[in-house]
Amino acid sequence: LILCAVLVSLNYDALSQRLGGTIIGDLFSREKEPAEEIRFDVYSDSVFACFDGGIAVASGSGMQLVDAGGETVDTETVILQDPAVMAGNKKAVVWSTGSKDFYVLGIKDGIQKYKTDENVINISINREDWIALCAEVEGYRGAVTVYNSKLKSVYKWYSGEGYLIDAALSELSDKMAALTITSSGSKISCFNMSGQEERGSYISENTLLYDLAYLSTNRICALGENAAVFLSDRAEFISSYSFSDGYLKDYSMDGSDFLSLVIGKYKTGSAASIITLSPDGSVLGSIDIKREVQSISACGKYLAVLYDDELVIYRSDLSELKRVPEVTNVRQVVMRADGSVVMLTNSGAVVLSN
């Protein structure tokens, strides 16, 4: 398949005309540029991440890196059983759970391969391009290795009590939070990057947590199947938001100072609520919907929601900013901090300028 990129305004008529052919505009420029074409394979299991200057694409057969001008910078052919990708500021990281390798993608250095001694559990990258690598370690229940933006290992923490699930780094790369599963429940442990002493910990006895992130400099959010928990950077409990009477359909923890949730009223069906929460767990906005949500993505102060028939861009309080009708055949949206949105399909990628 061909993945094309077109720079367009929010005029969907012009967009639909360009998507029908092979004419492609500049991927990331906010001004219209002469058209040019780029080609690379897209598969049913492809995952995407957008960072400053490019798009990283990974699938079961490898990965590709495309720059802001629509040129393919680098490719890597490798078997990824469970491809995953996450973007930082100027880099993205690609991995597959259970593999001993991970890849860092950047426009300057292309695709760089790094090997670990043990199997990868999970990886995260922050806005300073620091990476937290969770991996299995013999004699422990996992370990977190932190790499700085130059890919130098600068910190390591071993989990002896609970099985390691995930780890997150603060925006300033000075703090780390680790999520483990213990006999008492899900545990979040917080550390300063300057030492090994635990700053604090929190145990969730009633909610199994599986994801966490720093929503702000000193606020952590951990997400489970029926609740979101909000903590200080010392793992002190601040609040929780329960959605035990609904079903978590989708979420985004990538917004600046807010969490986005799509909570279905039933296990199947389109009736749902979109809710945004502050770093302290208070409700910023809430809207009820009766249509399918295909994809959501938050970045900066904005949230992009792809419905089955249109794209709507909201502010963090869910007041509507822009609406793009008649959007079809889009598989994923990626919100960018400047208010633009990347729409990704099996045959094209479109940047909607703000």
Side-chain angles (χ1 to χ4, degrees):
L1 294 174
I2 300 173
L3 181 62
C4 305
V6 185
L7 178 68
V8 295
S9 67
L10 287 174
N11 184 325
Y12 189 77
D13 290 334
L15 166 62
S16 61
Q17 291 174 6
R18 286 178 176 261
L19 278 179
T22 59
I23 297 178
I24 314 149
D26 187 303
L27 260 173
F28 290 95
S29 171
R30 292 173 58 186
E31 298 179 0
K32 291 184 178 180
E33 299 288 343
E36 61 178 318
E37 185 174 2
I38 57 173
R39 296 173 180 266
F40 54 88
D41 293 332
V42 180
Y43 302 97
S44 60
D45 64 344
S46 291
V47 289
F48 306 86
C50 300
F51 57 95
D52 185 11
I55 293 180
V57 184
S59 69
S61 59
M63 67 204 74
Q64 298 181 52
L65 172 64
V66 181
D67 70 10
E71 297 292 331
T72 299
V73 175
D74 203 356
T75 63
E76 181 83 15
T77 300
V78 62
I79 296 176
L80 300 173
Q81 297 291 343
D82 186 20
V85 61
M86 184 176 182
N89 182 23
K90 294 185 179 295
K91 296 177 181 178
V93 59
V94 171
W95 73 97
S96 178
T97 299
S99 171
K100 287 184 168 63
D101 304 322
F102 69 98
Y103 303 81
V104 178
L105 290 68
I107 299 302
K108 181 179 179 181
D109 298 318
I111 299 174
Q112 295 177 291
K113 179 180 179 179
Y114 293 87
K115 297 191 71 67
T116 67
D117 294 330
E118 303 291 346
N119 294 334
V120 172
I121 298 171
N122 210 345
I123 298 180
S124 66
I125 183 171
N126 70 0
R127 294 299 296 170
E128 289 193 334
D129 294 327
W130 284 45
I131 291 172
L133 167 69
C134 300
E136 299 174 356
V137 175
E138 187 176 355
Y140 294 88
R141 295 184 174 180
V144 181
T145 304
V146 177
Y147 299 87
N148 64 17
S149 59
K150 296 182 179 179
L151 275 299
K152 178 182 178 181
S153 175
V154 295
Y155 185 84
K156 193 153 190 171
W157 174 75
Y158 295 89
S159 178
E161 179 185 3
Y163 291 98
L164 183 61
I165 300 297
D166 197 9
L169 299 172
S170 64
E171 294 178 354
L172 300 178
S173 306
D174 58 345
K175 296 184 282 286
M176 186 270 286
L179 172 61
T180 58
I181 302 298
T182 72
S183 58
S184 300
S186 298
K187 181 179 180 180
I188 297 173
S189 304
C190 294
F191 302 88
N192 273 330
M193 297 290 288
S194 57
Q196 292 288 321
E197 184 177 351
E198 187 177 84
R199 303 183 72 225
S201 64
Y202 168 82
I203 293 181
S204 173
E205 297 179 354
N206 300 320
T207 299
L208 181 64
L209 304 173
Y210 53 76
D211 202 358
L212 83 162
Y214 281 84
L215 290 186
S216 64
T217 303
N218 57 1
R219 291 291 183 267
I220 297 168
C221 175
L223 190 64
E225 290 186 352
N226 54 26
V229 178
F230 299 86
L231 310 171
S232 75
D233 59 358
R234 293 180 176 270
E236 299 161 325
F237 178 81
I238 296 174
S239 69
S240 65
Y241 183 86
S242 174
F243 40 89
S244 58
D245 56 345
Y247 298 87
L248 182 62
K249 296 290 188 72
D250 205 349
Y251 68 95
S252 176
M253 307 177 83
D254 298 324
S256 296
D257 298 329
F258 73 101
L259 168 70
S260 305
L261 303 172
V262 180
I263 308 298
K265 293 185 178 180
Y266 311 102
K267 194 168 186 178
T268 60
S270 58
S273 297
I274 301 176
I275 301 162
T276 53
L277 303 170
S278 75
D280 290 332
S282 60
V283 176
L284 297 174
S286 178
I287 56 175
D288 293 329
I289 58 173
K290 292 183 179 180
R291 49 183 173 163
E292 293 289 344
V293 173
Q294 306 296 325
S295 173
I296 70 168
S297 175
C299 188
K301 296 296 184 180
Y302 305 106
L303 172 68
V305 179
L306 177 66
Y307 296 101
D308 52 6
D309 59 348
E310 67 177 349
L311 170 71
V312 181
I313 302 171
Y314 300 97
R315 300 176 183 87
S316 59
D317 62 359
L318 291 181
S319 59
E320 187 176 313
L321 180 66
K322 290 183 179 178
R323 183 181 294 261
V324 186
E326 301 178 14
V327 173
T328 58
N329 299 319
V330 176
R331 59 189 294 172
Q332 180 185 344
V333 292
V334 179
M335 190 76 228
R336 300 173 70 206
D338 63 359
S340 62
V341 181
V342 182
M343 299 169 58
L344 298 155
T345 75
N346 287 332
S347 59
V350 180
V351 175
L352 303 178
S353 59
N354 61 4

